[in-house]
């Protein structure tokens, strides 16, 4: 039970990291005019965004692989996380006008992966052989 609680914590950290990354990217156009005042120009740098996303993906893969190997043996949360990260990483593929929508779609897929993992791990509470093979 302690391992499942630890895995849920990792998923929740992953959800918060992905959410903060999305808020950062979506709030940037609003904050951009006042950035010189607050001296936060580092937040607008591409390397900073990529670092936050990479951290989010590392936490996500860690949480999902723990859930996969210890509890549910389902890969579709990993697919959702990978697709979300890919969409998020290439957020400007459709142009600047659609970037907020692309960011939102990528963040949704990443957060959905964590939520799926939490639910799958909770459904296998007290796993037996039947749950492991499902």
């Amino acid at each position: 039970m302690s391992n499942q609680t630890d895995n849920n914590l990792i998923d929740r950290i992953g959800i918060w990291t992905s959410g903060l990354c999305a808020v950062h990217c979506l709030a940037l156009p609003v904050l951009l005019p006042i950035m010189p005042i607050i001296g936060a120009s580092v937040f607008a740098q591409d390397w900073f965004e990529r670092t936050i996303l990479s951290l989010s993906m590392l936490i996500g893969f860690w949480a999902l692989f723990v859930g996969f190997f210890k509890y549910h043996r389902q890969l579709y949360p990993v697919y959702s996380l990978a697709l979300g990260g890919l969409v998020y990483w290439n957020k400007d593929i459709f142009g600047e006008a659609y970037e907020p929508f692309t960011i939102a779609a990528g963040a949704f897929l990443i957060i959905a992966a964590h939520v799926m993992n939490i639910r799958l791990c909770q459904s296998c509470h007290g796993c037996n052989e039947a749950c492991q093979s499902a």
Side-chain angles (χ1 to χ4, degrees):
M1 181 144 146
S2 176
N3 288 338
Q4 186 175 7
T5 304
D6 292 342
N7 194 48
N8 283 346
L9 177 64
I10 296 168
D11 277 315
R12 292 179 197 285
I13 290 170
I15 289 169
W16 274 100
T17 306
S18 300
L20 288 174
C21 189
V23 167
H24 163 264
C25 291
L26 295 174
L28 191 60
V30 175
L31 297 175
L32 197 56
I34 62 171
M35 281 184 130
I37 296 169
I38 60 174
S41 62
V42 71
F43 296 120
Q45 300 297 321
D46 194 41
W47 66 266
F48 184 75
E49 291 179 359
R50 304 278 182 181
T51 301
I52 292 173
L53 178 59
S54 297
L55 179 63
S56 174
M57 296 302 293
L58 286 172
I59 291 169
F61 280 117
W62 179 25
L64 271 55
F65 281 122
V66 168
F68 174 82
F69 286 113
K70 286 191 176 182
Y71 299 104
H72 52 76
R73 301 280 189 212
Q74 301 294 321
L75 278 176
Y76 57 89
V78 176
Y79 297 149
S80 179
L81 180 75
L83 181 60
L86 186 64
V87 167
Y88 217 130
W89 191 269
N90 296 302
K91 66 181 187 278
D92 57 352
I93 196 167
F94 299 116
E96 273 187 47
Y98 294 103
E99 195 170 302
F101 301 108
T102 310
I103 289 168
F108 173 78
L109 287 167
I110 292 169
I111 291 170
H114 286 289
V115 171
M116 283 187 275
N117 193 49
I118 289 171
R119 289 188 179 162
L120 286 168
C121 288
Q122 288 174 347
S123 70
C124 279
H125 184 62
C127 285
N128 54 25
E129 293 299 319
C131 190
Q132 288 289 337
S133 63

